[in-house]
Amino acid sequence: MDQRSRWQAFRGRLLMLVGVIALLTAMFLPHQIPDPLAPLIVVFGVGFILLAIPSRIWTKFPEWFHRDDTWL
């Protein structure tokens, strides 16, 4: 594994961890977060999890909508 791949794996794991922590905090400790910021914490949590997904997966995503369904 080269240096770039290691950094991308570390960044992905870190973003996933931050996103999960943000969502768990919003779910289980809502009294610790001011009421106007609660939706923002949820959006940031989901956003960090989505940022952890590698770009090669996102580029293949539109292909899922163009599959051949002739077997139906």
Side-chain angles (χ1 to χ4, degrees), residues 21-44:
I21 289 173
L23 288 177
L24 289 175
T25 303
M27 285 191 302
F28 295 114
L29 299 171
H31 57 277
Q32 299 276 353
I33 303 170
D35 288 334
L37 291 180
L40 191 62
I41 298 294
V42 172
V43 168
F44 277 136

Side-chain angles (χ1 to χ4, degrees), residues 2-16:
D2 62 344
Q3 192 70 19
R4 184 170 182 235
S5 299
R6 273 191 221 157
W7 167 247
Q8 287 179 344
F10 176 73
R11 183 186 67 122
R13 290 180 185 137
L14 185 66
L15 286 171
M16 185 69 71

